[in-house]
């Protein structure tokens, strides 16, 4: 039985003071869940979030990382830097980074390898555009993204990699993929991993992301191959995000 991982992605929202306010309320609201709860926050909020998450079941993650250990990369943060301060998770290849910051399948693969080599738990995002969905190439596009992201990984590393299937047309738009459509793609992702790496595919956590909210979480997370979610907008409010985490209560 795969454990569900429900992760918030704050994107470019909240400063350390907002983070403190959120963390005063949130951990108490989700303390009874047996699922994994993660908050991926802006770099400047990591310290505050980790300090206030200490002793709770809330895990903290970053939203991006560089694949080199150190060096002349102005504005970047490395995997070792995150690891050294105790960050546990990192989002890699979010569609917004692919779209606006030149993230490629190749850089995603490098970042994934660096994260795994340093014991960070990666959440790798994949997903098609509306045009691709309408052209009927979702399966081909998404499974190719998965294959290129996982290239060169060992089975053990694959088992530690979380995939977030996020159809781009559903992100921040209020349009959620139907639970059946979302699950269908998650099944394709798992099949592709099985073709490439074998039975370890059964262990891989595959999340759905894209306008997840408390009103649709139970249906989405109840599907056979959806192992939790990556939640943007609805993770900014502690009450709303806690309802998503407690979807089965
Ligand atoms: P959303 O974002 O929940 O606001 O649609 C999800 C994401 O981009 O991770």
């Amino acid at each position: 039985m795969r454990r569900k991982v429900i992760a918030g992605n704050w994107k470019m929202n909240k400063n350390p003071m907002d983070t403190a306010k959120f963390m005063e309320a949130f951990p108490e609201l989700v303390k009874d869940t047996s699922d994994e709860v993660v908050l991926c926050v802006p770099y400047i909020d990591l310290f505050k979030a980790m300090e206030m998450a200490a002793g709770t079941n809330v895990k903290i993650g970053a939203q991006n990382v560089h694949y080199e250990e150190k060096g002349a990369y102005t504005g970047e943060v490395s995997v070792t830097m995150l690891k050294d301060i105790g960050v546990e998770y990192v989002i890699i290849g979010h569609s917004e980074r692919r779209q606006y910051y030149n993230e490629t399948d190749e850089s995603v693969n490098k970042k994934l390898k660096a994260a795994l080599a340093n014991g960070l738990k990666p959440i790798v995002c994949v997903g098609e555009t509306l045009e691709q969905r309408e052209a009927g190439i979702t399966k081909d596009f998404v499974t190719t993204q998965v294959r290129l992201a996982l290239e060169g990984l060992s089975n053990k590393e694959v088992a530690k990699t979380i995939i977030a299937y996020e159809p781009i047309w559903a992100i921040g738009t209020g349009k959620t993929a139907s639970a059946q459509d979302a699950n269908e793609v998650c099944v394709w992702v798992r099949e592709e991993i099985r073709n490439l790496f074998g039975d370890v595919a059964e262990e891989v956590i595959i999340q759905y992301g894209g306008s997840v909210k408390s009103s649709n979480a139970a249906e989405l997370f109840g599907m056979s191959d959806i192992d939790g979610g990556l939640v943007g907008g609805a993770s900014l409010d502690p009450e709303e995000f806690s309802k998503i985490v407690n979807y089965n209560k």
Side-chain angles (χ1 to χ4, degrees):
M1 189 60 185
R2 290 181 299 270
R3 195 174 182 206
K4 293 214 184 331
V5 178
I6 300 166
N9 172 14
W10 280 0
K11 309 192 179 185
M12 197 171 71
N13 292 289
K14 297 193 191 290
N15 62 27
M17 278 172 296
D18 303 327
T19 302
K21 204 162 162 229
F22 183 99
M23 291 301 288
E24 272 160 26
F26 182 67
E28 179 65 23
L29 298 172
V30 296
K31 66 178 185 342
D32 295 327
T33 183
S34 53
D35 295 328
E36 180 89 334
V37 187
V38 185
L39 269 181
C40 296
V41 305
Y43 289 136
I44 61 156
D45 299 329
L46 284 170
F47 271 112
K48 182 50 78 184
M50 282 191 307
E51 179 190 311
M52 297 187 70
T56 77
N57 58 344
V58 178
K59 308 289 166 54
I60 303 300
Q63 300 171 7
N64 181 38
V65 71
H66 199 281
Y67 48 81
E68 294 291 350
E69 208 170 297
K70 60 183 175 197
Y73 300 99
T74 302
E76 293 292 324
V77 170
S78 75
V79 170
T80 39
M81 289 156 80
L82 292 178
K83 190 65 194 167
D84 287 349
I85 65 163
V87 171
E88 266 188 70
Y89 282 85
V90 65
I91 297 173
I92 295 174
H94 190 278
S95 62
E96 286 150 17
R97 297 215 61 90
R98 293 181 191 256
Q99 187 179 353
Y100 307 130
Y101 303 101
N102 231 359
E103 187 85 270
T104 62
D105 290 321
E106 193 189 346
S107 62
V108 167
N109 178 253
K110 285 183 179 172
K111 289 176 178 192
L112 176 56
K113 285 176 177 162
L116 288 165
N118 286 279
L120 274 185
K121 297 172 184 159
I123 299 175
V124 176
C125 302
V126 296
E128 82 288 1
T129 62
L130 187 57
E131 294 71 44
Q132 288 164 332
R133 175 156 285 262
E134 285 172 349
I137 58 169
T138 299
K139 182 176 185 181
D140 193 36
F141 183 76
V142 172
T143 54
T144 300
Q145 280 186 319
V146 169
R147 178 169 52 78
L148 295 175
L150 301 181
E151 205 164 81
L153 263 57
S154 68
N155 282 21
K156 256 190 173 160
E157 289 174 321
V158 170
K160 291 180 188 151
T161 302
I162 297 173
I163 305 282
Y165 165 57
E166 299 204 302
I168 294 170
W169 48 270
I171 295 178
T173 58
K175 280 187 214 151
T176 321
S178 73
Q180 289 70 23
D181 285 348
N183 193 57
E184 180 177 47
V185 181
C186 294
V187 168
W188 291 336
V189 168
R190 201 177 302 286
E191 264 171 24
E192 178 70 10
I193 299 174
R194 192 177 299 112
N195 292 339
L196 295 166
F197 298 94
D199 288 345
V200 70
E202 290 310 314
E203 292 171 47
V204 176
I205 289 163
I206 303 178
Q207 299 174 317
Y208 167 79
S211 299
V212 174
K213 28 190 188 289
S214 57
S215 56
N216 59 28
E219 196 190 357
L220 286 162
F221 300 170
M223 301 303 290
S224 66
D225 284 75
I226 301 180
D227 310 318
L230 185 57
V231 185
S235 73
L236 294 170
D237 177 67
E239 292 279 341
E240 171 66 4
F241 190 37
S242 73
K243 285 188 197 155
I244 294 173
V245 170
N246 296 322
Y247 69 95
N248 54 357
K249 305 258 153 35

